[in-house]
Amino acid sequence: MVAEFNVGAAQQGIVYIDEVDKITKKAESLNISRDVSGEGVQQALLKMLEGTVVNVPEKGARKHPRGDHIQIDTKDILFICGGAFVDLEKTISERRQDSSIGFGAPVRANMRAGGLTNAAVTSSLLESVESSDLIAYGLIPEFIGRFPVLISLSALTEDQLVQVLTEPKNALGKQYKKMFEMNNVKLHFTEGALRQIAQKAMAKSTGARGLRSILESLLTDAMFEIPDAKTGQDKIDAVVIDKEVIGSPDSKGCGAKILRGEGALERYLAEHKQKESLVCLWIN
């Protein structure tokens, strides 16, 4: 669809196959009639990865099982496979363990017994991934051999998570602000709150995908209360998320602050700015 049915362009394109870690061979399958271990899927992909002519259904195989097919040669297509590979760092840690004694010897943590691992430690271990680690994880050697380059992605830092919240065109912060604007309500995030949300996501090891659930838990009460039509001093002018609202990484948080009355947000910002100036004067 991306190549707009241009077979020549499609045959020199890039194909990304996600969730490859879900087709790993978990154990020896005892069922001789049907392979449910994942190895069969890997075996089926081998020929396509190496380069062959495949028949691609023109309009989707499920809706049109007897429809026309387009023949595509995959020998010039760049295949990129990726996945989360949960607990792969533990396999790497076991491979890298070297026996050492003495007062100056490094102390090794038994990652198999531990729970959540520090994201920085996990990233540093994944940088040294080798083909043998992926084979031990459950991928067959023939499948791994068709990928000459192995690369790991580093965990997102606090600054990068704040950028995810604010900078992209469809950033989560912009989405919620647009949603609140439909009811003529302003949504304001303080700088400290954005950083605390990022720290909370890092503490839970959920990364960028966990940001939405954190924001949802903070804004749920406000989103249910805003549609109630109120006037005068009871009218909701703005919703504010600051550091007090979010709480510690282990706690759920107390919900967003709802400011009522005309010009409530401007008064809050002026008061907040005055407090910051008083703190600066006290420090000086």
Side-chain angles (χ1 to χ4, degrees), residues 224-230 236:
F224 275 98
E225 194 167 343
I226 284 171
D228 295 337
K230 295 178 181 179
I236 299 176

Side-chain angles (χ1 to χ4, degrees), residues 53 67 81-82 89 112 115 137 140 180 189 200 204 220 249-250:
V53 177
C81 291
E89 68 275 3
R112 287 288 180 194
Y137 192 80
I140 60 177
F180 278 62
F189 296 90
K200 208 166 190 177
K204 293 182 178 181
T220 298
D250 299 329

Side-chain angles (χ1 to χ4, degrees), residues 16 52 87 90 172 274 283:
Y16 180 76
T52 186
D87 291 340
K90 296 179 181 178
L172 286 175
Q274 187 178 4
I283 292 172

Side-chain angles (χ1 to χ4, degrees), residues 74-249:
T74 64
K75 67 182 179 65
D76 293 325
I77 294 177
L78 173 63
F79 286 95
I80 303 174
C81 291
F85 290 95
V86 179
D87 291 340
L88 177 61
E89 68 275 3
K90 296 179 181 178
T91 304
I92 300 171
S93 177
E94 289 181 353
R95 172 177 59 81
R96 292 179 57 182
Q97 279 186 1
D98 49 349
S99 58
S100 55
I101 58 174
F103 292 106
V107 179
R108 298 193 312 262
N110 188 354
M111 298 184 69
R112 287 288 180 194
L116 291 174
T117 316
N118 188 301
V121 175
T122 302
S123 297
S124 63
L125 283 170
L126 291 176
E127 287 177 1
S128 59
V129 64
E130 295 181 359
S131 300
S132 58
D133 301 320
L134 295 173
I135 293 171
Y137 192 80
L139 294 174
I140 60 177
E142 298 91 337
F143 187 82
I144 295 298
R146 283 163 170 77
F147 294 94
V149 181
L150 300 177
I151 296 174
S152 66
L153 300 178
S154 301
L156 293 174
T157 63
E158 182 182 319
D159 292 334
Q160 290 170 335
L161 286 172
V162 172
Q163 288 178 346
V164 171
L165 278 169
T166 57
E167 292 187 10
K169 184 179 179 181
N170 59 341
L172 286 175
K174 295 178 182 178
Q175 289 181 30
Y176 280 102
K177 284 185 178 181
K178 188 70 175 177
M179 196 184 307
F180 278 62
E181 284 175 4
M182 293 178 181
N183 291 290
N184 297 319
V185 175
K186 308 179 192 76
L187 177 62
H188 179 72
F189 296 90
T190 64
E191 179 65 27
L194 291 172
R195 296 206 164 272
Q196 205 154 345
I197 291 171
Q199 291 168 9
K200 208 166 190 177
M202 292 174 67
K204 293 182 178 181
S205 298
T206 53
R209 292 179 179 177
L211 295 173
R212 181 178 287 276
S213 63
I214 296 172
L215 289 175
E216 197 72 24
S217 64
L218 295 171
L219 294 168
T220 298
D221 293 340
M223 286 191 288
F224 275 98
E225 194 167 343
I226 284 171
D228 295 337
K230 295 178 181 179
T231 58
Q233 292 301 317
D234 291 333
K235 181 184 177 183
I236 299 176
D237 180 61
V239 174
V240 174
I241 295 181
D242 55 14
K243 294 177 71 173
E244 298 175 3
V245 165
I246 298 165
S248 63

Side-chain angles (χ1 to χ4, degrees), residues 25-64:
K25 181 182 177 181
K26 301 299 180 185
E28 290 293 337
S29 178
L30 300 177
N31 191 344
I32 60 173
S33 61
R34 184 181 179 188
D35 178 23
V36 293
S37 65
E39 184 179 358
V41 181
Q42 297 181 52
Q43 294 281 2
L45 286 171
L46 293 179
K47 198 68 178 174
M48 183 180 71
L49 294 172
E50 188 173 318
T52 186
V53 177
V54 295
N55 292 320
V56 179
E58 187 175 348
K59 295 182 179 179
R62 292 185 178 180
K63 293 183 179 180
H64 304 84

